[in-house]
Structures are given as structure tokens and as C-alpha cells.
Amino acid sequence: MNHNLETKVLHFLRQQQISHRLLPQKEAAVTIESVAMLRGIRPAQMVKCVLLRDMGDRYALACVPGHLSVDPKKVRACLGWRRMTCAASDKVLQITGYPVGAVAPLLLKTEIPILFDPEITQEQEITISSGHLQAGIAMQVQDLLDLVHPLVTSIHR
């Protein structure tokens, strides 16, 4: 693992003088549980970002703690949109600018609504993706809220 990893998220956090720690992994992982184990954290500390699409081809980023699931019906109701589903994997990079599994709620390629479940605020220190599949970033939850300005509403199952 390259400990000198440089991503736009890391660059942005340094530029904004936001205190953070890089959490490198020796390998990419597929599940929240395996990523948490590799990073030495609990799934509840992770911010899982799910790109949703409605039937009108509008997108929103729904963020919940790693141990919870996004409820598309709650996101739809909050936004007043039509039926929502997970976006196709090829759209994730196109809309967010990040590969599947490495989506961060910062510096999205496309301006879309970002929703945070209030359960995210139950942890003082949370982790987000660095934009790279083999590293996360630990930071204070309040710093992330101040940077993202998300709509905070219950969106988990």
C-alpha cells in the first residue's frame, strides 16, 4: 500500500485545514465488514454512500453508517421524487467522480442532493472514503457536516 497516497479528497482536507488520518488497507475489500476489519474500525464508524436514481433520471447521494442500509423509499419521500433505485455501477463514476466502493460525500463531479442519516452523528469520529479503494479517512463528524451541508433526515431501513 502506498502511504503517500494522493487523492482530491485528501488534498481538499489539507487545503481546508481539516484534521484527519489516512487509514490505508493492504488490499481492496468488497464488504463493509471486511473494510472495517482492514482499517481497524467498527462498521458503525463508516459513512456508506449510496448513489440513487429516480425514474426521472435524477440522482441523490444517500449516506448512512456502515452497519445500516439505505431505504430508497425514505429518500424518495424526503425529496418528493418518484420511485428510486440504486444507480447502475457505470453511472457511479460518471455522476460522483469516484469508483464504486470509493465514493466520498465530498467534491462530487455532479451537483446532486446529499442526504445524511442522523445515525451518522452518533459517532464523534467517522470514516469516509479517500476516493481510492485501498484507503479511508478518519475525521470528526462535525467537520464532515460543516463541509458537506447535507440534508439530515432518517433514511435507513
Side-chain angles (χ1 to χ4, degrees), residues 52 70-79 81 84 155 157:
L52 298 175
V70 171
D71 186 340
K73 290 179 183 176
K74 288 183 178 180
V75 175
R76 177 191 76 201
C78 177
L79 296 173
W81 292 2
M84 297 192 85
I155 56 169
R157 292 187 201 268

Side-chain angles (χ1 to χ4, degrees), residues 2-72:
N2 178 4
H3 292 276
N4 296 319
L5 179 72
E6 182 57 43
T7 69
K8 65 182 181 181
V9 175
L10 287 163
H11 178 76
F12 177 72
L13 293 175
R14 282 194 302 274
Q15 188 179 46
Q16 298 298 312
Q17 300 181 333
I18 301 295
S19 179
H20 63 280
R21 290 182 294 117
L22 183 65
L23 302 174
Q25 301 164 216
K26 291 182 178 156
E27 59 196 46
V30 178
T31 67
I32 290 288
E33 292 77 16
S34 57
V35 170
M37 189 177 73
L38 287 167
R39 293 182 186 168
I41 58 172
R42 293 175 290 107
Q45 293 174 282
M46 299 175 71
V47 176
K48 177 173 32 178
C49 299
V50 179
L51 184 66
L52 298 175
R53 181 181 77 81
D54 85 337
M55 298 300 103
D57 215 29
R58 294 180 290 189
Y59 292 86
L61 191 67
C63 304
V64 297
H67 68 292
L68 298 176
S69 298
V70 171
D71 186 340

Side-chain angles (χ1 to χ4, degrees), residues 79-133:
L79 296 173
W81 292 2
R82 298 187 300 174
R83 188 162 121 358
M84 297 192 85
T85 59
C86 287
S89 58
D90 64 318
K91 289 289 188 181
V92 174
L93 181 60
Q94 181 184 336
I95 300 294
T96 68
Y98 300 106
V100 173
V103 176
L106 296 167
L107 308 174
L108 298 178
K109 186 176 178 181
T110 307
E111 190 172 321
I112 58 174
I114 301 174
L115 296 87
F116 273 26
D117 192 279
E119 290 293 316
I120 289 173
T121 64
Q122 296 304 304
E123 300 284 338
Q124 283 191 2
E125 184 180 74
I126 49 82
T127 67
I128 61 171
S129 175
S130 66
H132 190 281
L133 288 169

